[in-house]
Amino acid sequence: MDQFLITGTGRISGEVTISGAKNAALPLLAAMILAETPTTLHNVPSLQDVTTLIKLISGMGIVISKEGNTVTCNTKTIDSFYAPYDLVKTMRASILVLGPLLARFGEAEVSLPGGCAIGSRPVDQHLQAFEAMGAEIIVENGYVKAKAPKGGKLIGCEYSFDMVTVGGTENVIMAAALAKGTTRLENCAREPEVVDLANMLVAMGAKIDGIGTANMTIEGVESLHGCEYSVVPDRIETGSYLAGALMTEGDVLTKHTRPELLLPVLKKFEAMGAVITTGEDWIRAQMKGRPLPVDIRTQPHPGFPTDMQAQLMAVCCLADGTSTIIENIFENRYMHVPELERMGANIKVDGHTAIVKGVEKFEAAPVMATDLRASMSLVMAAATAEGKSLIDRIYHIDRGYEDVENKLRGLGVKIERVSNKD
Ligand code: EPZ
């Protein structure tokens, strides 16, 4: 299993080019299934999760391939509507093929994604919405078997999500795009990646009102055509690298990104004492002295994103004072805490709340990555500590950060990938 050997240099500074967003690329790839004619998608990040989803889609007989950061897809030869457990278990967002298959072909058999390190990750909201659209849903032997009503078309409905769910909103708007009649959704997710998906569906001929708001109205159309589209920049990757500047009195310029995608994060960085300057497609964070403590509670967009919680905790660990973090989205998203404590952090967790007492610096130590975003918080902490840190199980980081070693080297981080025998 690969590990990262990081020698702390105490400074994270330089320029980094941001990739397309993993959490937009995945639903956009699933949406390609809806198109009757070929689709081209640009700025697709080269990530393990993207490779897995492309493999799953091509397993259905669809011709889909990736050249560099461009994916082309032609659904003409599709001959199966099946998403197997062995692929879905490694990439739970595969559940996003369910809505498109059900809407266009009237049937689908998709493995239940199961949980992951940060929580049980149920998909009940997705399934309840499909039932409200007339689908017959049977869950057995770990698979969701879905069938559209007689006539093969889903029926537009009124549905309000019990809680804000990014994947649930994405799955349902993809299905509603081809349903008979109008679908009115309430309590939708408003994340930039949901907006990106809705915009691509419109480019394919879908009729969607209320994009970016909690209430969307989708008027079903007969069919959707292909389009040429580009994935929105990754706001979480952007925030992850900018956080490195706050931890080391650094100066980080992130390019090929958009400030409006992560305003709640930039506001917190400024509250911690960073000087943030922005342009249309760049953001710069400059830091003097230690970060100031802050209080954070993760919320659905436009609140503070849960996907930045671990990275911001690493900054809080070095703050001149005590910070409070409340994780409201996932039930188990503090797996990075014991690892940060091994590096000298002072954190007390009580249920959803973490109290972080700032320390002067992290100490180098061997640690283990537990999930995607936790891995980046450990990498940043190791980059600030004196000495060598070994980070195990870094396959987590390969799922969501494109070309991570070279980007970190470009910011002055001394990092090399080593593999241990087991
Ligand atoms: C997406 O996951 C992201 N993944 C996650 O990013 C992100 O943390 C999350 O949204 C929240 O922003 C992708 O987009 C691929 P949810 P998703 O449905 O859609 C509960 C990362 O690090 N829920 O918004 O699975 C659920 O348990 C990853 O890049 C139900 O109870 O998240 C959670 O507590 C991690 N029933 C909350 O809602 C459902 O049917 C939010 O989940 C659906 C969700």
Side-chain angles (χ1 to χ4, degrees), residues 13 35 42 57-58 120 160 179 232 279 302 305 307 336-337 359 384 420:
S13 283
H42 299 292
I57 294 173
S58 60
S120 60
S160 177
V232 70
D307 292 349
H336 42 286
V337 169
V359 295
T384 70
N420 67 346

Side-chain angles (χ1 to χ4, degrees), residues 245-263:
L246 277 83
M247 296 168 74
T248 61
E249 295 198 69
D251 179 351
V252 170
L253 172 66
T254 54
K255 300 185 294 186
H256 201 232
T257 185
R258 298 217 308 260
E260 69 274 15
L261 299 172
L262 62 156
L263 294 179

Side-chain angles (χ1 to χ4, degrees), residues 22-24 26-28 30-31 91-100 113 121-130 133 159 161-176 185 187-195 197-198 201 216 235 300-301 306-307 329-330:
K22 163 181 87 80
N23 291 351
L26 297 174
L28 294 175
M91 217 285 292
R92 31 182 338 283
S94 312
I95 192 73
L96 292 172
V97 304
L98 181 55
R121 313 290 294 273
V123 291
D124 55 295
Q125 298 295 306
H126 305 231
L127 304 184
Q128 280 168 26
F130 294 142
M133 299 171 87
Y159 187 76
F161 291 98
D162 294 347
M163 84 291 295
V164 174
T165 156
V166 169
T169 304
E170 290 166 343
N171 230 338
V172 176
I173 62 174
M174 286 192 281
L185 300 174
N187 201 21
C188 298
R190 301 161 56 190
E191 272 66 6
E193 295 76 27
V194 177
V195 170
L197 172 64
L201 289 171
M216 278 193 269
R235 63 191 166 110
H301 194 76
T306 174
D307 292 349
I329 308 295
F330 289 108

Side-chain angles (χ1 to χ4, degrees), residues 63-304:
V63 176
I64 180 168
S65 63
K66 182 168 178 289
E67 300 288 319
N69 293 108
T70 294
V71 171
T72 51
C73 176
N74 188 333
T75 62
K76 245 199 344 276
T77 51
I78 186 168
D79 59 12
S80 121
F81 313 120
Y82 177 69
Y85 175 61
D86 64 328
L87 284 176
V88 176
K89 72 179 176 199
T90 66
M91 217 285 292
R92 31 182 338 283
S94 312
I95 192 73
L96 292 172
V97 304
L98 181 55
L101 289 172
L102 187 53
R104 187 171 168 208
F105 303 103
E107 60 175 293
E109 185 171 342
V110 178
S111 165
L112 273 173
C116 72
I118 64 176
S120 60
R121 313 290 294 273
V123 291
D124 55 295
Q125 298 295 306
H126 305 231
L127 304 184
Q128 280 168 26
F130 294 142
E131 285 176 328
M133 299 171 87
E136 180 203 57
I137 302 281
I138 298 171
V139 177
E140 63 184 4
N141 311 110
Y143 279 78
V144 177
K145 294 170 184 155
K147 268 207 176 329
K150 270 193 297 312
K153 276 277 178 197
L154 294 172
I155 300 147
C157 72
E158 317 237 325
Y159 187 76
S160 177
F161 291 98
D162 294 347
M163 84 291 295
V164 174
T165 156
V166 169
T169 304
E170 290 166 343
N171 230 338
V172 176
I173 62 174
M174 286 192 281
L178 285 180
K180 234 182 14 243
T182 302
T183 299
R184 285 186 184 77
L185 300 174
E186 288 182 345
N187 201 21
C188 298
R190 301 161 56 190
E191 272 66 6
E193 295 76 27
V194 177
V195 170
D196 208 32
L197 172 64
N199 288 336
M200 178 167 136
L201 289 171
V202 167
M204 293 163 72
K207 293 199 172 80
I208 306 177
D209 281 330
I211 295 176
T213 76
N215 303 315
M216 278 193 269
T217 302
I218 301 107
E219 202 192 310
V221 293
E222 209 28 55
S223 67
L224 292 171
H225 52 74
C227 68
E228 188 152 4
Y229 195 76
S230 188
V231 180
V232 70
D234 195 321
R235 63 191 166 110
I236 304 301
E237 185 193 21
T238 305
S240 301
Y241 288 122
L242 291 172
L246 277 83
M247 296 168 74
T248 61
E249 295 198 69
D251 179 351
V252 170
L253 172 66
T254 54
K255 300 185 294 186
H256 201 232
T257 185
R258 298 217 308 260
E260 69 274 15
L261 299 172
L262 62 156
L263 294 179
V265 176
L266 300 181
K267 248 170 47 202
K268 284 298 173 190
F269 284 166
E270 287 178 325
M272 299 184 94
V275 172
I276 301 289
T277 45
T278 63
E280 199 189 319
D281 63 352
W282 59 268
I283 304 169
R284 185 176 180 182
Q286 295 165 282
M287 191 67 181
K288 284 266 164 296
R290 286 176 68 180
L292 300 171
V294 279
D295 294 341
I296 298 147
R297 52 184 65 227
T298 64
Q299 293 290 354
H301 194 76
F304 187 87

Side-chain angles (χ1 to χ4, degrees), residues 329-367:
I329 308 295
F330 289 108
E331 65 266 31
N332 188 33
R333 203 167 197 174
Y334 284 137
M335 307 273 280
H336 42 286
V337 169
E339 303 305 314
L340 289 168
E341 284 181 307
R342 289 177 48 74
M343 299 180 79
N346 181 339
I347 307 168
K348 291 279 162 295
V349 172
D350 176 8
H352 284 253
T353 302
I355 308 288
V356 184
K357 258 172 118 58
V359 295
E360 289 278 331
K361 59 184 176 28
F362 281 111
E363 296 149 30
V367 289

